[in-house]
């Protein structure tokens, strides 16, 4: 039962934002007719003539447009529905709340079900009936049923932290547009960065003295793709290390929390006391925290480097002036991550796009959805954060989003200091 919950929690992914409302008629602008010599002027406060106001969306569909009058449209009601919550989901909740306030959305907050799949699915129809759209984060294996329910309720939606796929089909096609990352490529960027840190921190220690650990959750396909990407890249860069000094610490014995991660990493360290230097790729924050704790318990903090894809937990540590073997992360603030997700949902609710017409340039020719569907997979940027420089990139996200989540200096920063967008990969063309 514990392992089932683990699978649920890990498939880290999926609040679905959806909306089912009709686009209202456009408001009118009024003006009084001029008085004439044969007719008394009209002193009524009611307009006698009107011209329609052009409130068409001129920005990028699915992204917030500061020049667009969202208040001219109806107020859409949206809720974020999570199977089970933790820090990353809570950060998403705060980011959705922020963007909702700028888009004239009545945001009902996060509804979570403590890992109970049956409760999640049984309540989804009612939530859909009470909202114009939903943001959803279920277990990834639940997406097929979630998509069926929301189609029956005619409720627009967006998944959040994992692509919504039909896991029952052989080719696992997309069920809806996706915003996020290519998880295999995520794993691939870590061996070069860890080797770079090795050369910076321990330039005189031979690479043969180092071991490499990936902290995995093998039962979750998106996370396990990160392990595959890391191993394949390490094999190309350091084939001897990949063959002889590479270990996977698999948290699927329970779940990918701090304690389980510490346990499985400690097991690898105990089995290989001959190795005194370690490079560790942890797939998510809690894994990184657990790995750093395991290294510290064995006196290896000064000889080790842990990195993760995420970083909210690392930011919290650094804000508290805590430093350990967890030395860097590849990070994107949740406000930047959340913007195109809730923006896509708004486009669906407002009739500006459909799931099949949204972001046609982001449709991957080899991975576009089931028959007759052209669902986009919009990729996001990511940035490395280290202790001496992390505040600048994170504070930029406040400047970009018009939020005030972080009390960091703004000196030298403006809205263009970083980018919230990336180019479409060449391989999308097929």
């Amino acid at each position: 039962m514990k392992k089932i919950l683990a699978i649920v929690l890990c498939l880290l992914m999926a609040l679905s934002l959806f909306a089912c409302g009709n686009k209202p008629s456009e408001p009118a602008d009024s003006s009084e007719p001029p008085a004439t010599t044969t007719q008394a002027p009209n002193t009524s406060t009611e307009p006698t003539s009107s011209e329609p106001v052009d409130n068409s969306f001129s920005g990028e569909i699915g992204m917030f447009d500061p020049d667009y009058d969202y208040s001219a449209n109806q107020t859409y009601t949206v809720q974020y529905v999570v199977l089970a919550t933790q820090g990353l989901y809570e950060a998403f909740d705060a980011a959705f709340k922020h963007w909702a306030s700028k888009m004239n959305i009545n945001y009902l907050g996060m509804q979570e079900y403590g890992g109970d799949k049956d409760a999640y699915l049984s309540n989804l129809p009612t939530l859909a009936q009470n909202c114009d759209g939903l943001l959803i984060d279920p277990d990834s294996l639940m997406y097929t049923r979630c998509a069926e329910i929301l189609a029956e309720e005619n409720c627009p939606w967006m998944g959040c932290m994992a692509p919504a796929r039909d896991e029952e089909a052989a080719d696992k096609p997309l069920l809806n547009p996706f915003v996020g990352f290519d998880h295999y490529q995520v794993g691939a960027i870590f061996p070069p960065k860890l080797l770079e840190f090795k050369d910076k921190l321990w330039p005189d220690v031979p690479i043969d003295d180092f071991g490499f650990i990936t902290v995995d959750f093998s039962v979750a396909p998106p996370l396990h793709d990160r392990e595959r990407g890391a191993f394949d890249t390490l094999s190309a860069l350091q084939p001897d290390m990949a063959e002889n000094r590479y270990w996977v610490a698999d948290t699927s014995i329970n779940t990918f929390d701090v304690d389980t991660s510490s346990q499985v990493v400690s097991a690898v360290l105990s089995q290989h006391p001959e190795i005194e230097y370690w490079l560790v790729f942890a797939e998510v924050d809690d894994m990184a925290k657990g790995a750093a704790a395991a290294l510290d318990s064995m006196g290896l903090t000064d000889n080790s480097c842990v990195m993760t894809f995420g970083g909210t937990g690392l930011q919290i540590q650094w804000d508290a002036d805590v430093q350990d073997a967890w030395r860097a992360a590849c990070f994107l603030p949740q406000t930047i991550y959340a913007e195109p997700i809730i923006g896509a949902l708004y486009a669906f609710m407002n009739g500006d796009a459909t799931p099949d017409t949204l972001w046609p340039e982001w449709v991957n020719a080899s991975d576009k959805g089931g028959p007759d569907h052209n669902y986009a997979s919009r990729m996001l940027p990511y940035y490395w954060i280290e202790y001496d420089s992390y505040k600048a990139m994170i504070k930029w996200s406040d400047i970009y989003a018009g939020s005030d989540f972080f009390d960091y200096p703004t000196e030298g920063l403006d809205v263009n200091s970083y980018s919230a967008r990336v180019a479409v990969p060449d391989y999308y063309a097929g």
Side-chain angles (χ1 to χ4, degrees):
M1 195 65 196
K2 211 168 186 181
K3 187 164 181 178
I4 292 175
L5 177 57
I7 296 173
V8 166
L9 284 172
C10 152
L11 296 178
L12 21 85
M13 314 165 171
L15 268 202
S16 303
L17 224 319
F18 242 66
C20 20
N22 296 323
K23 187 173 180 180
S25 60
E26 293 181 346
D29 192 8
S30 62
S31 58
E32 289 186 331
T36 68
T37 57
T38 60
Q39 178 178 346
N42 186 346
T43 59
S44 169
T45 58
E46 295 296 320
T48 58
S49 67
S50 64
E51 298 236 349
V53 173
D54 181 7
N55 193 44
S56 58
F57 200 94
S58 60
E60 182 182 2
I61 297 296
M63 301 293 282
F64 176 71
D65 182 356
D67 297 323
Y68 183 71
D69 184 6
Y70 291 87
S71 66
N73 302 326
Q74 74 177 75
T75 300
Y76 297 108
T77 297
V78 167
Q79 191 155 25
Y80 181 40
V81 192
V82 183
L83 182 58
T85 190
Q86 53 182 242
L88 194 55
Y89 298 95
E90 292 165 3
F92 250 142
D93 179 40
F96 288 141
K97 180 179 180 181
H98 168 73
W99 287 115
S101 71
K102 299 173 79 69
M103 294 179 176
N104 187 33
I105 290 174
N106 175 29
Y107 180 63
L108 301 182
M110 180 172 63
Q111 174 68 50
E112 67 100 10
Y113 288 94
D116 188 333
K117 295 181 183 181
D118 291 338
Y120 189 103
L121 293 174
S122 64
N123 282 281
L124 197 58
T126 300
L127 295 176
Q129 292 162 14
N130 292 333
C131 292
D132 297 300
L134 293 177
L135 299 161
I136 63 172
D137 257 322
D139 178 327
S140 63
L141 298 178
M142 297 164 58
Y143 263 125
T144 301
R145 182 59 188 139
C146 288
E148 292 172 349
I149 292 171
L150 294 170
E152 291 167 1
E153 299 298 337
N154 193 30
C155 182
W157 61 280
M158 278 292 288
C160 299
M161 281 192 280
R165 295 187 179 278
D166 182 358
E167 295 291 343
E168 299 173 4
D171 56 351
K172 297 178 172 45
L174 289 168
L175 297 166
N176 211 43
F178 168 62
V179 173
F181 306 95
D182 181 321
H183 293 283
Y184 181 89
Q185 294 300 325
V186 163
I189 66 177
F190 279 88
K193 194 68 173 181
L194 283 159
L195 292 169
E196 176 188 318
F197 262 60
K198 178 268 170 201
D199 289 340
K200 180 169 67 173
L201 299 174
W202 307 285
D204 299 327
V205 180
I207 191 65
D208 292 348
D209 291 352
F210 281 80
F212 196 110
I213 297 173
T214 293
V215 191
D216 191 19
F217 189 72
S218 62
V219 295
L223 290 180
H224 188 57
D225 282 348
R226 297 182 182 186
E227 188 277 327
R228 295 192 306 105
F231 177 77
D232 290 350
T233 304
L234 186 66
S235 296
L237 297 174
Q238 290 290 337
D240 182 68
M241 173 181 275
E243 182 176 354
N244 299 308
R245 298 185 310 283
Y246 176 87
W247 292 273
V248 175
D250 193 348
T251 61
S252 65
I253 62 168
N254 185 16
T255 187
F256 58 95
D257 59 4
V258 174
D259 291 342
T260 306
S261 301
S262 179
Q263 177 185 345
V264 295
V265 171
S266 293
V268 174
L269 300 177
S270 297
Q271 292 163 9
H272 299 282
E274 75 280 6
I275 297 180
E276 298 181 6
Y277 292 86
W278 291 95
L279 304 176
V280 181
F281 165 43
E283 292 166 352
V284 297
D285 280 18
D286 281 358
M287 291 177 177
K289 190 171 183 178
L295 290 160
D296 190 63
S297 70
M298 296 191 177
L300 295 169
T301 294
D302 292 342
N303 293 2
S304 304
C305 181
V306 179
M307 294 184 182
T308 192
F309 191 80
T312 298
L314 185 55
Q315 175 195 355
I316 292 170
Q317 281 194 188
W318 286 341
D319 282 349
D321 203 26
V322 173
Q323 297 184 67
D324 54 19
W326 189 5
R327 301 179 189 274
C330 200
F331 185 56
L332 184 68
Q334 294 310 112
T335 46
I336 310 303
Y337 198 153
E339 179 193 10
I341 297 176
I342 195 168
L345 184 61
Y346 188 92
F348 300 158
M349 295 186 294
N350 201 49
D352 301 319
T354 69
D356 277 297
T357 64
L358 180 71
W359 302 322
E361 71 278 15
W362 279 103
V363 175
N364 185 341
S366 63
D367 183 24
K368 63 180 184 177
D372 305 320
H373 287 295
N374 294 286
Y375 296 136
S377 294
R378 185 185 183 112
M379 297 292 104
L380 294 168
Y382 44 75
Y383 298 98
W384 291 102
I385 56 172
E386 301 177 29
Y387 180 75
D388 293 336
S389 58
Y390 76 99
K391 292 181 179 180
M393 193 277 293
I394 294 174
K395 188 58 186 177
W396 160 78
S397 70
D398 266 346
I399 296 172
Y400 172 86
S403 54
D404 192 24
F405 288 116
F406 309 109
D407 186 20
Y408 298 155
T410 59
E411 184 178 358
L413 295 173
D414 61 34
V415 71
N416 296 314
S417 295
Y418 298 85
S419 178
R421 294 160 174 77
V422 294
V424 178
D426 291 339
Y427 67 81
Y428 268 43

